Amino acid sequence: MARYLTPSKIGLLALVSLYTDAVVPTAATIPILSFLVTHLLASDTSKPVYGTSESGRNFAVIIDDFQKATITHASGIPGRTLWDLFIKKLWEINSLDALHAFFDTLSLLLVKTREEILKEAENGVTQATDMVLLSRTSPLGAFVRRAQLEFTRLQFHDRITLWKGFVTYREPTLGMWRRRNPAAGKTSFDANLQEDDCFVMGRLIDVVYGDLADEGSQEAGVSTDDVEKILEFQVNEMQKMGTRISEDMKSQFRNMIQTGVTVPSLTHYVKFLDSWKAGDYPSSFDNLHRYFDYTMHNRDRTFYQYALLNLAILQADFGCFAEALDAMHETISTARENKDMECLNFSLSWLYHFGKAHPREISEVQKTGVLGGEKEALVFLKAKAKETGMWSLLSTSLLSEAKLALTNGDSVTLAFENITKSSHLNVTKNIANVIGSQMMMQASVFARLGVTSLAWSYGEVFLQCYTDQSPVEDVLNFVCKSAHTLAQRGRYDEAMARMDEVSHDTLRILKHHQYWMVYSGLLKLQKRLHKDHLVAAEHLLDQLRASSSNLEMAFTFSLLEIDLLMRRGDYSTAMSTLEKLSARLNEEAADIYQRVKVMILKARLLDKAGIPQKGFSVALRAASLAHKARHLPALWEAVGAVSRVLISLEEFDAAAKLLENIMPQVLECEDCDLSAHTFSYLADAHMGMARQANAEAPKRKEQLTKALEYLGRSFDEFSGIEDVKGQCEMLAKKATIMRLSGDIVLANDCAAQYLDIKRAAKEDV
């Protein structure tokens, strides 16, 4: 099997030879050279070919490609296109001897060396000046030199195989060659064959070329170099985009191996990545060791740190955190020893993000001082990324700094500054695979500022414009976040439809499939809670909690568990669960939002238990923290909790003014649950003011009217998210006001509607 040469490369050599014959007109020079360079130079792995699938990326040039590139261009010979001359070049190679002669004359396409020029001058040989000679160091010159060298290295059997493959490769052009050369016949592919004695020639063709139509003749179409290139492309795509090998590509690999091509050691690394993404721990571990056994054998200890790095990431993905940290420590030590700054910087970056995802496991590492504090680690990573030109690492470090600022409740301006720096870097350095993380961070900032519409727009722009350029993990995160936003608005069917839009290839990765399943279950759990199907919600919550170890998901499940207990009226158990959650968050130095959310929930729980005044200090502290961190949705929730305390103290006017001032911003958050509770609090405040007014005073009627209006708005918001308990509570309050107003008919209507909602909820179980 040839290491480098294939029939398609002979076609490229023929086109290069055509170019050096000076028959390519000026107008066609750039297109022809572009075509050649595109298929000769190794593609820049940092710049993927967007919009093409893995299976659509050709590693060999077919005849149709040559036709498309040359047929539209006229040549320097009147009446002939470049396609005509190209076919002539191919059919001039009409025997194995002609193939040898073709490769022997390739050196004439190159500029002579100084020694060759002196020797020819001594012998009186003059060089032709009508040819376009190639520099030996140019891309075309290097290709010609390597092709000639590789041909001389081929054994006789491999040359025969290459010749047979070339005959098959050139066969589709026979009809076009006959139009220009009527004398061409069925045996014109080999000048040694004569058509006089058909029987003898037929027997001879069967003996020499009888296997042209067999699968065995196809081995000449693939070289070891082609396989290595396509494997490198696959590794790059799998690492950068987080994908698995498609079934079509797997079948192509199997076909290549069946042709007898030498399988590079990189195949084991591709199998490792595919097994890893599939969740097959034994196979991924085995293939990783196989690959680096070959690598260590050939390259000594140069790549040892990368073996450890892959091992650490693999162990962490399968939950073996202690082993992962041990492997990562050895990676850092080995990278320092070998002065591999790229591996060292990546390892430190991975260690930082691992610590953010698993704070308990990283606590011992922080004591050793490998990274120091979070801010010091990010400053160090940014400095090293600038020194080594690792722009992708610098961009992600800037985004991590922005996220850290939001987590700690620091200035939002600082977060925007780092996001802008990252965006500028992504554009100027063409770092396409970080755009997803950047837009996710921008959407998160706007969501925290309460501008949900802008956050939604960023998500939609990403899903419409950047999915082909971004890792599938970023795409999955955006889809899940947008589905969550739809669920907040009560559009559950649209949310589940959005989750179903995730491609099958993405869900072939075990980690992504698990995340998708948990998030889909989370949406169903929220709907069950709102529908008051508490038994089903409890079973679903237990299943989901056992399926995910994600910290963010664990916090969400804890909140839903407390919500479940509150809906059951088990306030003591809910309070103990809340206290445990608060203690855990304090140990882990959690996000400011999570701490504020716990405080608000505690104040609401005390309000539900009938002692709202005990939550006054907690609600004020939550409002203060949310205001400092500019987390506006949490701030409005905290203000609602404060208003409940004011209502319990009969400060109805102050509570109403407070709630009316924040109502426009609450509606801008587009959160039905938040809007429903705020309208409910506002109705309670106006009801309190109505109670303080005289029985016959117009102000009393005005306050009752406002209370009814806000109860109606609250009922509409609860209906949007199908919250049965909230709907019934609002109807009960409306019925009470109707009875106080003397409108018994409307009160009975509200009571009937209350019973209908309860009945429908039970029937829907």
Side-chain angles (χ1 to χ4, degrees):
M1 169 50 57
R3 293 179 58 254
Y4 183 73
L5 287 176
T6 59
S8 62
K9 285 191 172 67
I10 297 177
L12 291 172
L13 287 170
L15 189 58
V16 171
S17 176
L18 198 65
Y19 169 73
T20 59
D21 288 342
V23 294
V24 178
T26 305
T29 300
I30 293 179
I32 295 300
L33 289 178
S34 298
F35 176 81
L36 288 169
V37 171
T38 300
H39 292 92
L40 292 181
L41 293 183
S43 61
D44 187 354
T45 55
S46 65
K47 300 175 182 177
V49 182
Y50 304 122
T52 60
S53 63
E54 295 170 353
S55 60
R57 183 181 171 90
N58 292 324
F59 55 89
V61 193
I62 60 176
I63 284 293
D64 290 342
D65 294 332
F66 286 109
Q67 184 177 7
K68 292 176 184 177
T70 57
I71 198 168
T72 58
H73 301 292
S75 69
I77 301 176
R80 296 288 188 270
T81 63
L82 290 179
W83 172 242
D84 296 328
L85 299 183
F86 176 74
I87 293 177
K88 182 182 178 183
K89 278 281 183 183
L90 293 182
W91 284 94
E92 283 177 350
I93 308 174
N94 53 9
S95 65
L96 181 60
D97 179 67
L99 182 65
H100 281 76
F102 175 76
F103 277 96
D104 290 340
T105 57
L106 286 179
S107 57
L108 300 178
L109 309 181
L110 303 173
V111 174
K112 303 294 183 182
T113 62
R114 185 172 180 274
E115 291 75 11
E116 289 174 339
I117 293 174
L118 293 175
K119 187 176 180 180
E120 288 181 354
E122 291 176 0
N123 297 332
V125 178
T126 58
Q127 189 172 356
T129 57
D130 57 344
M131 291 183 62
V132 178
L133 298 180
L134 306 174
S135 170
R136 291 177 174 270
T137 56
S138 67
L140 296 184
F143 170 62
V144 169
R145 290 169 60 199
R146 182 177 181 185
Q148 191 175 35
L149 177 63
E150 293 291 345
F151 186 77
T152 58
R153 288 178 175 177
L154 289 179
Q155 298 182 4
F156 181 74
H157 170 74
D158 292 332
R159 295 188 184 188
I160 292 293
T161 302
L162 179 63
W163 165 245
K164 290 180 179 179
F166 178 69
V167 170
T168 305
Y169 181 78
R170 185 183 55 184
E171 185 66 24
T173 63
L174 177 60
M176 290 170 272
W177 175 241
R178 279 181 171 178
R179 293 192 199 121
R180 295 290 184 182
N181 298 272
K186 294 182 179 179
T187 60
S188 59
F189 62 86
D190 192 339
N192 297 307
L193 301 176
Q194 303 293 330
E195 296 187 4
D196 297 335
D197 191 341
C198 296
F199 177 75
V200 175
M201 284 299 103
R203 293 290 301 275
L204 182 60
I205 291 173
D206 289 339
V207 172
V208 179
Y209 294 104
D211 59 347
L212 283 180
D214 298 340
E215 291 184 2
S217 65
Q218 299 300 318
E219 62 176 294
V222 182
S223 68
T224 304
D225 181 70
D226 293 329
V227 176
E228 286 179 351
K229 283 182 179 179
I230 199 169
L231 286 174
E232 288 172 2
F233 170 75
Q234 282 299 322
V235 168
N236 178 63
E237 289 295 297
M238 294 172 75
Q239 288 181 332
K240 183 162 52 180
M241 309 301 286
T243 57
R244 286 185 62 191
I245 305 178
S246 64
E247 294 300 326
D248 183 27
M249 186 56 66
K250 283 183 180 180
S251 65
Q252 288 192 33
F253 277 135
R254 283 193 291 268
N255 293 337
M256 291 178 198
I257 293 173
Q258 289 173 1
T259 60
V261 65
T262 304
V263 180
S265 61
L266 194 60
T267 306
H268 299 299
Y269 192 72
V270 172
K271 290 181 179 179
F272 152 68
L273 291 175
D274 192 59
S275 303
W276 171 23
K277 299 297 181 183
D280 187 353
Y281 178 75
S283 297
S284 57
F285 198 81
D286 182 47
N287 283 302
L288 178 64
H289 277 276
R290 285 186 182 183
Y291 171 68
F292 280 104
D293 282 346
Y294 282 108
T295 304
M296 292 290 291
H297 179 71
N298 296 327
R299 302 180 182 177
D300 198 27
R301 288 178 58 89
T302 309
F303 280 59
Y304 180 56
Q305 62 268 25
Y306 291 100
L308 293 169
L309 177 62
N310 280 273
L311 180 62
I313 298 173
L314 177 66
Q315 299 279 24
D317 252 22
F318 286 99
C320 306
F321 301 127
E323 293 84 351
L325 288 174
D326 291 340
M328 188 55 69
H329 286 153
E330 192 172 351
T331 303
I332 293 172
S333 301
T334 309
R336 283 174 175 166
E337 179 184 341
N338 294 335
K339 298 181 180 180
D340 189 341
M341 296 307 299
E342 186 173 351
C343 180
L344 177 61
N345 292 341
F346 182 84
S347 302
L348 293 175
S349 175
W350 182 89
L351 201 59
Y352 170 80
H353 288 94
F354 178 83
K356 297 296 291 182
H358 308 282
R360 294 181 182 177
E361 284 74 15
I362 205 67
S363 57
E364 294 298 324
V365 179
Q366 290 177 336
K367 294 177 183 178
T368 62
V370 175
L371 276 177
E374 292 183 349
K375 292 184 178 179
E376 292 82 358
L378 289 175
V379 170
F380 176 79
L381 287 174
K382 287 195 299 181
K384 290 300 180 182
K386 286 181 181 178
E387 287 179 10
T388 55
M390 297 176 65
W391 306 119
S392 179
L393 175 60
L394 179 57
S395 181
T396 53
S397 299
L398 288 168
L399 293 176
S400 298
E401 193 169 4
K403 185 176 181 180
L404 182 62
L406 295 176
T407 301
N408 295 337
D410 295 336
S411 171
V412 177
T413 307
L414 178 62
F416 270 118
E417 179 185 348
N418 285 307
I419 292 173
T420 305
K421 287 180 180 178
S422 174
S423 177
H424 174 74
L425 202 61
N426 294 339
V427 173
T428 55
K429 302 298 181 180
N430 193 23
I431 313 172
N433 61 328
V434 185
I435 290 179
S437 301
Q438 170 214 321
M439 297 189 74
M440 176 72 78
M441 185 60 61
Q442 286 175 306
S444 299
V445 173
F446 285 119
R448 289 198 170 204
L449 291 175
V451 193
T452 307
S453 58
L454 198 52
W456 171 265
S457 298
Y458 269 97
E460 291 301 296
V461 167
F462 173 81
L463 293 175
Q464 291 293 329
C465 304
Y466 296 101
T467 52
D468 293 337
Q469 308 175 19
S470 302
V472 292
E473 185 175 3
D474 288 346
V475 178
L476 180 62
N477 286 333
F478 264 108
V479 169
C480 293
K481 294 297 182 184
S482 62
H484 177 69
T485 303
L486 290 170
Q488 278 186 331
R489 300 172 184 173
R491 295 152 63 178
Y492 295 110
D493 293 338
E494 292 182 40
M496 294 308 299
R498 177 60 63 92
M499 293 296 292
D500 291 337
E501 290 176 4
V502 178
S503 67
H504 173 70
D505 290 336
T506 300
L507 298 181
R508 289 179 65 232
I509 301 171
L510 178 64
K511 184 178 178 181
H512 296 167
H513 184 264
Q514 290 175 338
Y515 185 79
W516 180 85
M517 287 289 292
V518 169
Y519 221 101
S520 299
L522 180 62
L523 298 178
K524 294 177 182 177
L525 174 58
Q526 289 177 332
K527 187 175 182 180
R528 292 293 179 188
L529 283 173
H530 291 154
K531 289 268 190 185
D532 210 31
H533 302 160
L534 302 184
V535 176
E538 185 178 14
H539 287 300
L540 192 55
L541 179 61
D542 292 338
Q543 292 176 4
L544 293 175
R545 181 170 284 165
S547 303
S548 177
S549 60
N550 186 287
L551 286 179
E552 184 180 350
M553 284 294 184
F555 176 74
T556 304
F557 293 148
S558 297
L559 294 184
L560 291 173
E561 181 185 7
I562 294 168
D563 186 21
L564 174 64
L565 293 170
M566 290 172 64
R567 289 175 183 271
R568 281 180 170 169
D570 191 357
Y571 299 126
S572 59
T573 307
M575 181 59 77
S576 62
T577 304
L578 187 62
E579 292 294 345
K580 291 178 183 177
L581 176 61
S582 178
R584 193 191 75 196
L585 293 179
N586 289 333
E587 290 177 4
E588 297 174 355
D591 189 345
I592 188 71
Y593 164 72
Q594 295 179 345
R595 286 180 280 164
V596 169
K597 188 70 177 177
V598 166
M599 292 179 187
I600 295 169
L601 204 55
K602 186 174 183 180
R604 183 180 291 182
L605 186 56
L606 291 171
D607 177 40
K608 290 286 186 182
I611 46 176
Q613 296 176 24
K614 283 193 173 183
F616 184 60
S617 61
V618 176
L620 278 180
R621 194 160 68 247
S624 175
L625 285 174
H627 180 264
K628 180 183 176 183
R630 293 297 186 271
H631 199 305
L632 300 189
L635 176 59
W636 310 143
E637 280 192 81
V639 170
V642 172
S643 70
R644 290 297 299 168
V645 178
L646 293 176
I647 291 171
S648 70
L649 295 173
E650 298 188 358
E651 295 290 342
F652 304 114
D653 186 53
K657 288 180 179 178
L658 196 60
L659 293 169
E660 286 172 354
N661 286 330
I662 69 169
M663 204 65 235
Q665 288 83 4
V666 169
L667 294 174
E668 194 175 11
C669 294
E670 299 183 24
D671 186 345
C672 289
D673 185 70
L674 176 60
S675 301
H677 281 96
T678 308
F679 278 125
S680 175
Y681 301 155
L682 202 50
D684 291 344
H686 282 285
M687 191 63 191
M689 285 190 284
R691 192 185 65 170
Q692 290 178 340
N694 295 327
E696 302 298 330
K699 184 178 180 182
R700 177 185 176 87
K701 186 176 181 180
E702 178 187 350
Q703 297 299 334
L704 287 175
T705 303
K706 285 186 177 181
L708 282 174
E709 178 188 352
Y710 290 130
L711 285 174
R713 295 289 300 274
S714 180
F715 176 81
D716 292 340
E717 296 291 343
F718 278 125
S719 300
I721 55 175
E722 302 178 21
D723 192 330
V724 173
K725 189 173 182 180
Q727 288 175 288
C728 292
E729 186 179 344
M730 294 307 105
L731 287 173
K733 289 181 179 181
K734 285 180 73 174
T736 303
I737 295 176
M738 295 297 182
R739 288 187 181 276
L740 289 174
S741 302
D743 199 339
I744 305 300
V745 176
L746 289 178
N748 291 335
D749 289 343
C750 289
Q753 190 177 358
Y754 178 99
L755 295 174
D756 290 341
I757 292 175
K758 282 285 189 181
R759 191 181 304 110
K762 288 182 180 179
E763 292 175 354
D764 194 31
V765 175

